[in-house]
Amino acid sequence: MRAIPVASLWSDQAAGLRAMIAPTPCRSISLNGGRGGSGTTTLAINLAAALAERNREVILLDEFTGSGNAAHRMRLEQKHELDHVLRREVTLANTLLTTEAGFSILPISARASVLSSLNERELTWLSAEFEQLTQYAEFLLLDTRPSASHGVPCLSLAADDVMVIVSNSAESLTDAYATIKLLGTEYARRDFRILVNRVDTITEAGLIFNRLKSVARQYLGDAVQMKLIGYVPEDEKLKRASRLGRTVLDAFPDADSSHAFRQLADVMLRWRKPLNTTDSTGFLYRLVESSRLLAEQLQH
């Protein structure tokens, strides 16, 4: 038997160790709903729980404040926000909230003008805080403000993937198209993943998706690409779990919506990696750059 050089063995072992300790590629996915009642926050919470159930490290970035945000939905006490971090009153780690469902929540609501005004030294400092906090995260799920509100969600501009939530109502379809049009025509987003909420069958989801796709093709042509990724059924147990401050996977693991979230998590785990995905730090730089772009747009 031919002897294997010690140097070669060491090289192989060193490469294996580097792979083990290297930063995990982190995928950022924004969830975009309408102007109210779209269920986006509920979807974000339960998707995070489903991915965590698959042994993935997940952080839910919450762009909302007040009683309707993810922290309040999960009955967590939120003492600090991103503004406190930017004023150096607390560290970013002080704002992170841990849930019993296996994922964490990071409040990240801040005005675009504040983020865009960070100088390079401040950006480097904030990036180091963010890297330390998210170095092992595999998914960043972004519960974003709807584009129908003032300005464009900075998180959507920074994300690797844009997921648009739509249901079977005229207002929801209008808002979904408005989101796609705005992000596509003004900010060069090309690919959109569509999740249909509150329907009973994949056939019904397909009909709603085709209506949205038809309108987008009529007015935007081939400028954007859309793909149906699944649906979440209308489920009374999902509503009940939300009122209890729990995920439906925890409260009612055999509910139809629980199965739907698990199936969607499995689909997401099979998505191709974006070409520009590196680590979570890259997301923060994109977020600040997106804030600067948004601030410029709002001045015109």
Side-chain angles (χ1 to χ4, degrees), residues 185-298:
T185 59
E186 298 294 331
Y187 299 98
R189 296 303 305 233
R190 294 290 177 259
D191 297 303
F192 297 87
R193 302 181 186 272
I194 310 301
L195 176 61
V196 182
N197 193 23
R198 298 171 179 157
V199 293
D200 295 323
T201 65
I202 188 63
T203 300
E204 187 178 353
L207 291 172
I208 294 171
F209 170 74
N210 287 332
R211 287 168 61 190
L212 178 61
K213 186 176 181 179
S214 176
V215 172
R217 181 174 297 171
Q218 179 179 354
Y219 294 103
L220 303 177
D222 297 327
V224 299
Q225 301 295 319
M226 299 162 50
K227 184 175 183 179
L228 177 64
I229 61 170
Y231 76 99
V232 175
E234 184 77 50
D235 189 349
E236 183 59 37
K237 289 185 176 179
L238 176 58
K239 298 177 183 177
R240 196 180 309 168
S242 296
R243 289 195 292 269
L244 292 171
R246 297 165 65 183
T247 69
V248 70
L249 291 90
D250 170 46
F252 306 105
D254 292 325
D256 289 343
S257 55
S258 293
H259 293 302
F261 284 118
R262 292 190 183 101
Q263 291 172 2
L264 185 56
D266 290 337
V267 168
M268 292 167 66
L269 291 174
R270 294 195 298 269
W271 287 354
R272 270 186 202 172
K273 294 180 180 179
L275 296 177
N276 61 345
T277 294
T278 52
D279 55 35
S280 57
T281 309
F283 168 80
L284 183 68
Y285 279 98
R286 293 198 304 272
L287 174 61
V288 173
E289 286 302 315
S290 299
S291 300
R292 291 169 178 168
L293 178 61
L294 175 57
E296 292 174 1
Q297 289 287 105
L298 294 177

Side-chain angles (χ1 to χ4, degrees), residues 100 177 200:
E100 294 183 357
Y177 170 72
D200 295 323

Side-chain angles (χ1 to χ4, degrees), residues 50-244:
L51 288 166
E53 193 178 77
R54 296 303 194 251
N55 296 315
R56 295 311 195 270
E57 292 292 330
V58 184
I59 298 178
L60 173 58
L61 273 62
D62 193 352
E63 202 174 22
F64 291 92
T65 59
S67 60
N69 70 3
H72 282 82
R73 297 280 185 91
M74 296 296 290
R75 305 293 192 270
L76 299 174
E77 184 180 2
Q78 182 180 329
K79 296 181 179 179
H80 307 293
E81 298 180 356
L82 183 58
D83 281 343
H84 297 113
V85 179
L86 297 177
R87 293 196 297 265
R88 307 291 184 99
E89 296 174 4
V90 297
T91 66
L92 193 62
N94 293 138
T95 69
L96 189 70
L97 304 170
T98 302
T99 73
E100 294 183 357
F103 65 93
S104 301
I105 299 174
L106 183 65
I108 199 167
S109 176
R111 296 185 303 277
S113 58
V114 174
L115 289 175
S116 64
S117 64
L118 295 178
N119 58 40
E120 289 306 312
R121 182 178 179 181
E122 292 169 328
L123 178 55
T124 300
W125 161 76
L126 185 59
S127 175
E129 293 258 323
F130 194 77
E131 180 180 13
Q132 183 177 7
L133 196 62
T134 62
Q135 59 182 320
Y136 299 115
E138 296 167 87
F139 285 91
L140 299 178
L141 296 187
L142 323 174
D143 190 10
T144 67
R145 293 190 300 267
S147 61
S149 63
H150 183 62
V152 177
C154 297
L155 293 182
S156 292
L157 301 181
D160 294 316
D161 301 279
V162 176
M163 184 187 299
V164 179
I165 315 301
V166 63
S167 61
N168 190 20
S169 72
E171 182 182 56
S172 177
L173 285 163
T174 299
D175 287 349
Y177 170 72
T179 296
I180 293 169
K181 179 183 178 182
L182 188 57
L183 294 177
T185 59
E186 298 294 331
Y187 299 98
R189 296 303 305 233
R190 294 290 177 259
D191 297 303
F192 297 87
R193 302 181 186 272
I194 310 301
L195 176 61
V196 182
N197 193 23
R198 298 171 179 157
V199 293
D200 295 323
T201 65
I202 188 63
T203 300
E204 187 178 353
L207 291 172
I208 294 171
F209 170 74
N210 287 332
R211 287 168 61 190
L212 178 61
K213 186 176 181 179
S214 176
V215 172
R217 181 174 297 171
Q218 179 179 354
Y219 294 103
L220 303 177
D222 297 327
V224 299
Q225 301 295 319
M226 299 162 50
K227 184 175 183 179
L228 177 64
I229 61 170
Y231 76 99
V232 175
E234 184 77 50
D235 189 349
E236 183 59 37
K237 289 185 176 179
L238 176 58
K239 298 177 183 177
R240 196 180 309 168
S242 296
R243 289 195 292 269
L244 292 171

